[in-house]
Every structure is written in structure tokens, then in C-alpha cells.
């Protein structure tokens, strides 16, 4: 898929929104690196799996995932007889905890693919219990991790108590009042010391371990407690050795469970990924697209997923008798948005995502999508709008195939209107003859005539309300856009003589076309009113039919009751 296409259609923004639904950083990163697929079977399977997860979450609620990390490097290390740190073992424990939770969550799932994911998750209560019993936090090992550790720590407590008692004898003795800087006990390099004035260091014999920044205080370990401190230090070393032995023991348990841990990581990542896609669909009220490889696009009430506020949906139909759609209409009327809507929805469907359209919308699978929709970068590089556009079109005509989708915005614009229109028609005809599905927007009237006269090409327009002088953003397939310049000028108060003169300057062909378009628009409005009336009658008929069915059921119930009563009497 063209990198520029993904950028212009803002595909990354869709991935960013999808990533917010994932619970783990691992899967968020995976989502942000997604690319659209072009294999029909693979996309179909991915949509099937997403649909199953939508069903699961709709019935059982969101999946509360936690404790998912990338264990690849950790397992590689532990397989080389490495010893894991407490924080790493806690990560393993989190994985085991979430595995246990998921096994419970999945016990009533019926969807086959999702059920299989949950069933394949492994649990290990022994390792989970051992880690929870041994590790309090990433900085603290529990006393009960081993009998030896508990004994060492008890000895340390007694030794520290002896040292503190000895140190207090210095602090509370009036003899040393003048020598002590403060009556407190400190620790330097793991050894208990007392703060002594620098000029009184000879008053208390011992080992100097540190000096204050001012130089007025030295920290002395009295000779009387040197041996006690040595014994305490020895116990510290024993404690460290025992902790390392405990961590090594737990690491070997993890090593024995290594394959299952990596498999759990893979399975839970998949669950998180599918859950993110399902929540993305449910929260935004998206629907599952139907896909095909027959060059047919049929979008019902499609909305651009990145537009904010109230978005006017559009219906898009292309394929079969025509594979080129030419959209005309006023500026800011929604022509470019229509192009981007088709392109972005196609990318979403090819990523295995639900789309912002009504049920039964049909999306074609393309090998590639080519776009020419603006290019501020080329303009900054001193290329004219026309040159920038033509550079991209040259690339499109060289690379696009019958399995491609081409989106052209204001094709042929930026140069002389007559030459631009002729060039636009030639480009579109070239793509038509290569059987490439193409959407194009234009202001050129010549392209409207081209669409009417050429098989395989269809007109479309974005609607404009002359009463409010604003676009409605509705896309009308089969009708070219009508110029509203005279009507708008009239409503804005332009002099009547100027308008008459301008009208007389129009060619007869243009006048006739405008009259035809006005008639088509009137007929369409009339047909729409009739359709609304028909829909109203249909709803009334359905209501009456439902009432009759309910009355029929009541009659059947009464009849059955009368028969039962008669049988009882008999």
C-alpha cells in the first residue's frame, strides 16, 4: 500500500484511536504498526474473528486485561541459567494471574475461534503461589520465602538490637556530651556510627567512616562495636546469598514453564488485539463490512470516521456497469470528503476493522490505492499546484493496475480551463480503458458531458441548498452537479441587468444542460417525496399487520380456552 496514501487519508489517526482501546503497551505498539492487507481470505478471516469477539464482549462485558509484557528477552535469559530479579518475577506472576482470570472469563464462550484462544491459555498455580509467597514487592523479599532467610533475619534483628544498645551507651553518657555533634546513631556503608566533632575525634576511639560537607563532623565507629558490626555485615552477606538462592529457585520454575509463558503472551496479545477492535466497533457503532473482489463498492450511510460533530452520511455505489465516478459540485460541498471517506473506509476494511456505515455495506479489496488529493509539501518545494498534481498522476498511470483504486481530487485543475478539462478527460479515459476503478472530483462541465456520453462512467454530485446558500453534503449518484452561480448571485442581490447579460453570454448547450439538470432535480425531489409517502404507507401497513397478528393470537387463545372449558364440562 502506498505510504503517501496512508498519510493523505490519515490512516494513522485510525490506528491511534484503535490503540487507545488496547490494554497492554505490547498490543498498542502492534496496532500502531498495522498495515492494510490485500489477501481476500486473510481479510475475511480477520473480520470473522473480530465479529466473534464483538459477540463475546456484547454478552460478557469488557475483558479486564493486565499483566501483559514482552517476555521474549526474559525467557532467553532464563534459559541460559540466568537469575531473574524480583520485578521480573512479579511480571511473570501478573501473567499467571491474568491467565487464571481469562480461563474463568472464557468458560462459557461459544464462539469457536475465541473459545479456542481462551482454552489454550496455560495456568500454573504452583509457580504463582511460590512467587506470591516469596516476593512482597520489587524491593522486598518475604521472610517466609525460606526457613533459612527467616532465621538470618531474626539473627540480624538481635544483632542490631545489641549494637543499638551499645551505641546508646555512648549517646546517653554525659562523659561524651562535649564530643558528640548530635545525640543520634547513623549508618555509613552499612555500619553503625555516631557523629563526633572534628576537634574531639580523640575523645572516642574507633574507625572514621565519613566526614560532613562542612568538615565540622566526623562519623566514628567506636572500637567497642567494630566486631558487632562485622558480625552484622556477615549476616547481610548471608542474607544476600540466600535471597539470590531463592530467586534462582524461582527462576528455574519459570524456566520449566518457559514455552507456556511465551504461548500465553501470544494468546493474550491476540485476545487484547481482537478486544480492542471489538470495542472500537461497539463504542463507535461501526458495522462489519461485506468484502468482495469483483470491483463493487456499495456504502450505505457511510460517514468519515475522523470528522467531528454531526456528520452527514453518504451513499456510494460504483461497480458493474460503471467503474469511473465523476463528482461535481460547489467548493466546501463535500467532494473531497467523499473521496477520503471511500478511501479510508476501504483501508479500514482491509485492516480487518468494522466501518462507519450501515449493515450490508460492500467494500472491494484492492492491491493498492493511489491518491492525488492536495500536496502542500510539493507547493513548498516550489512546484505549482498543476505540476505537483501532474507529477502524482504520472506516477499513478505508471503504477496503477486493474486491481487498484484511484482517487483524484480536482483532476486537471491549476491550468488553462480548456486544456485542463481536455487533459482530465484523457486521464480518466486512460484509467477507464485499463479497467481501473476511479473516483474523481471536478469543476469542469466538460467532464459532466464526458460521463453522460461514455459507457462505464457515471456522474455524481454533492447537493447544494440555494435557499440557505450552503451545501447539504449529500452525495447524489447519477446526477451531475448543477451550477448555482446565477441563483446565488441573485439571492445575494446582484443587479438584474448583469444577470440577464451573463445568461445571454452562455452558449445554448450550457443553457440546455442547466435546464435539463433543473428538471432532473425537480423530478428527483418529487420522487423523494413520493418515496417518503410510500415508506409512510409501508409503516402503517406493517403496524396494521402487526395488530391483526396480535388479535389473531388473542382469538386463537380464546378459542383454545373455550375448547378446554367444553372438554372439562364434558
Amino acid at each position: 500500500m502506498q505510504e503517501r496514501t496512508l498519510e493523505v487519508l490519515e490512516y494513522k489517526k485510525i490506528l491511534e484511536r484503535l490503540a487507545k482501546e488496547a490494554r497492554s503497551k505490547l498490543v498498542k505498539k502492534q496496532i500502531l504498526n498495522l498495515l492494510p492487507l490485500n489477501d481476500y481470505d486473510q481479510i475475511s478471516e480477520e473480520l470473522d474473528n473480530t465479529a466473534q469477539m464483538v459477540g463475546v464482549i456484547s454478552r460478557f462485558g469488557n475483558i479486564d486485561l493486565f499483566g501483559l509484557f514482552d517476555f521474549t528477552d526474559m525467557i532467553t535469559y532464563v534459559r541460559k541459567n540466568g537469575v531473574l530479579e524480583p520485578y521480573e518475577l512479579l511480571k511473570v506472576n501478573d501473567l499467571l494471574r491474568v491467565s487464571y482470570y481469562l480461563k474463568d472469563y472464557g468458560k462459557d464462550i461459544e464462539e469457536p475461534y475465541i473459545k479456542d484462544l481462551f482454552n489454550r491459555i496455560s495456568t500454573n498455580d504452583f509457580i504463582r503461589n511460590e512467587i506470591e509467597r516469596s516476593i512482597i514487592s520489587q524491593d522486598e523479599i518475604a521472610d517466609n520465602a525460606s526457613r533459612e532467610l527467616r532465621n538470618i533475619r531474626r539473627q540480624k534483628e538481635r544483632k542490631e538490637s545489641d549494637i543499638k544498645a551499645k551505641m546508646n551507651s555512648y549517646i546517653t553518657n554525659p562523659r561524651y556530651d562535649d564530643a558528640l555533634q548530635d545525640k543520634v546513631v547513623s549508618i555509613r556503608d552499612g555500619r553503625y556510627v555516631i557523629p563526633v566533632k572534628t576537634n574531639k575525634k580523640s575523645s572516642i576511639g574507633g574507625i572514621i567512616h565519613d566526614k560532613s560537607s562542612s568538615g565540622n563532623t566526623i562519623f566514628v565507629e567506636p572500637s567497642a562495636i567494630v566486631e558487632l558490626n562485622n558480625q552484622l555485615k556477615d549476616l547481610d552477606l548471608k542474607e544476600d546469598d540466600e535471597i539470590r538462592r531463592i530467586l534462582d529457585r524461582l527462576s528455574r520454575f519459570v524456566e520449566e514453564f518457559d514455552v507456556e509463558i511465551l504461548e500465553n503472551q501470544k494468546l493474550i496479545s491476540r485476545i487484547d488485539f481482537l478486544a480492542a477492535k471489538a470495542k472500537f466497533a461497539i463504542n463507535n457503532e461501526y458495522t462489519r463490512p461485506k468484502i468482495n473482489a469483483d470491483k463493487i463498492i456499495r456504502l450505505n450511510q457511510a460517514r468519515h470516521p475522523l470528522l467531528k460533530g454531526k456528520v452527514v452520511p453518504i451513499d456510494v455505489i460504483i461497480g458493474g456497469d460503471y467503474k469511473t465516478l465523476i463528482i461535481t459540485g460547489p467548493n466546501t460541498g463535500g467532494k473531497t470528503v467523499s473521496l477520503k471517506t471511500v478511501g479510508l473506509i476501504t483501508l479500514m476494511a482491509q485492516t480487518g476493522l468494522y466501518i462507519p456505515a450501515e449493515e450490508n455495506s460492500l467494500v472491494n479489496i484492492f492491491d493498492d490505492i493511489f491518491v492525488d488529493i492536495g500536496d502542500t509539501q510539493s507547493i513548498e518545494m516550489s512546484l505549482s499546484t498543476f505540476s505537483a498534481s501532474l507529477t502524482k498522476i504520472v506516477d499513478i498511470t505508471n503504477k496503477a493496475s486493474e486491481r487498484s483504486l484511484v482517487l483524484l481530487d480536482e483532476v486537471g485543475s491549476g491550468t488553462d480551463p480548456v486544456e485542463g478539462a481536455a487533459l482530465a478527460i484523457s486521464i480518466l479515459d486512460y484509467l477507464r480503458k485499463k479497467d481501473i476503478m476511479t473516483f474523481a472530483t471536478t469543476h469542469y462541465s466538460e467532464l459532466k458531458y464526458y460521463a453522460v456520453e461514455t459507457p462505464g462512467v457515471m456522474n455524481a454530485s454533492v447537493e447544494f441548498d440555494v435557499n440557505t446558500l450552503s451545501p447539504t453534503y449529500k452525495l447524489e449518484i447519477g446526477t451531475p452537479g448543477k451550477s448555482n452561480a446565477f441563483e446565488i448571485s441573485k439571492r445575494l442581490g446582484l443587479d438584474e441587468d448583469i444577470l440577464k447579460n451573463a445568461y445571454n453570454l452562455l452558449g445554448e448547450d450550457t443553457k440546455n444542460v442547466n435546464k435539463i439538470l433543473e428538471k432532473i432535480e425537480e423530478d428527483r425531489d418529487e420522487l423523494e417525496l413520493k418515496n417518503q409517502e410510500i415508506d409512510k404507507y409501508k409503516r402503517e401497513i406493517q403496524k396494521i399487520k402487526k395488530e391483526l397478528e396480535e388479535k389473531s393470537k388473542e382469538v386463537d387463545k380464546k378459542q383454545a380456552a373455550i375448547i378446554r372449558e367444553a372438554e372439562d364440562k364434558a
Side-chain angles (χ1 to χ4, degrees), residues 346-361:
T346 300
L347 292 177
M348 290 175 68
Q350 291 192 210
T351 311
L353 300 177
Y354 277 32
I355 61 172
E358 285 191 353
E359 297 275 355
N360 298 318
S361 289

Side-chain angles (χ1 to χ4, degrees), residues 2-67:
Q2 299 287 306
E3 181 63 35
R4 187 178 180 282
T5 296
L6 303 180
E7 181 183 341
V8 171
L9 296 180
E10 300 180 284
Y11 175 72
K12 280 287 184 186
K13 289 186 179 179
I14 294 296
L15 298 185
E16 288 167 4
R17 292 188 178 189
L18 175 61
K20 289 179 180 178
E21 301 292 353
R23 295 298 302 273
S24 65
K25 290 182 180 178
L26 189 65
V27 174
K28 287 179 188 290
K29 184 178 178 182
Q30 175 190 343
I31 288 172
L32 292 175
N33 290 318
L34 280 176
L35 289 172
L37 307 167
N38 56 21
D39 182 87
Y40 179 91
D41 293 333
Q42 193 177 357
I43 294 167
S44 181
E45 183 180 0
E46 194 61 23
L47 286 169
D48 283 342
N49 297 337
T50 303
Q52 289 188 33
M53 185 59 85
V54 167
V56 168
I57 290 179
S58 297
R59 289 202 315 280
F60 301 111
N62 286 336
I63 302 171
D64 188 19
L65 279 168
F66 55 91

Side-chain angles (χ1 to χ4, degrees), residues 267-291:
L267 292 168
I268 298 171
S269 294
R270 181 67 175 152
I271 290 170
D272 191 17
F273 176 64
L274 289 174
K277 292 208 295 180
K279 287 185 288 183
F280 186 59
I282 294 168
N283 294 341
N284 292 289
E285 298 182 348
Y286 292 167
T287 64
R288 178 182 177 174
K290 292 183 175 180
I291 60 172

Side-chain angles (χ1 to χ4, degrees), residues 450-464:
Y450 166 73
V452 171
E453 296 170 351
T454 310
V457 185
M458 180 64 72
N459 268 310
S461 61
V462 286
E463 196 177 64
F464 187 85

Side-chain angles (χ1 to χ4, degrees), residues 35-193:
L35 289 172
L37 307 167
N38 56 21
D39 182 87
Y40 179 91
D41 293 333
Q42 193 177 357
I43 294 167
S44 181
E45 183 180 0
E46 194 61 23
L47 286 169
D48 283 342
N49 297 337
T50 303
Q52 289 188 33
M53 185 59 85
V54 167
V56 168
I57 290 179
S58 297
R59 289 202 315 280
F60 301 111
N62 286 336
I63 302 171
D64 188 19
L65 279 168
F66 55 91
L68 182 58
F69 308 95
D70 188 350
F71 291 92
T72 310
D73 291 341
M74 185 191 299
I75 295 302
T76 300
Y77 173 68
V78 85
R79 282 172 174 170
K80 294 177 180 177
N81 213 36
V83 177
L84 300 177
E85 296 298 323
Y87 77 90
E88 293 174 305
L89 289 163
L90 289 174
K91 283 183 178 181
V92 173
N93 189 55
D94 283 343
L95 181 75
L96 293 170
R97 285 172 55 226
V98 76
S99 300
Y100 184 83
Y101 157 76
L102 290 173
K103 294 293 279 188
D104 183 62
Y105 180 99
K107 63 181 183 294
D108 296 322
I109 289 175
E110 297 172 357
E111 288 76 1
Y113 179 79
I114 308 300
K115 184 179 182 68
D116 180 62
L117 288 178
F118 280 82
N119 285 345
R120 284 160 53 199
I121 293 172
S122 301
T123 57
N124 191 312
D125 290 340
F126 173 75
I127 296 178
R128 186 163 65 94
N129 292 335
E130 284 298 300
I131 292 174
E132 289 178 354
R133 180 177 69 83
S134 303
I135 301 176
I136 296 173
S137 71
Q138 61 181 23
D139 300 314
E140 186 176 1
I141 304 299
D143 292 349
N144 291 329
S146 74
R147 183 182 299 174
E148 181 64 20
L149 182 62
R150 187 167 59 249
N151 290 336
I152 291 170
R153 286 181 172 174
R154 285 177 179 172
Q155 292 177 52
K156 278 184 64 178
E157 286 176 3
R158 290 194 292 267
K159 195 62 64 180
E160 286 173 341
S161 180
D162 292 343
I163 292 171
K164 287 175 183 177
K166 198 74 174 175
M167 295 296 274
N168 282 334
S169 67
Y170 286 91
I171 291 172
T172 57
N173 193 332
R175 174 184 170 188
Y176 301 112
D177 285 352
D178 190 46
L180 295 176
Q181 192 71 268
D182 290 297
K183 292 191 174 185
V184 294
V185 176
S186 299
I187 296 177
R188 291 292 186 277
D189 299 326
R191 303 181 77 87
Y192 284 88
V193 295

Side-chain angles (χ1 to χ4, degrees), residues 19 67 70 234 275 295 392 396 400 417 453 492 541:
D70 188 350
D234 184 54
K295 291 190 179 177
K392 291 192 287 290
I396 291 170
E453 296 170 351
L492 291 175
I541 290 169

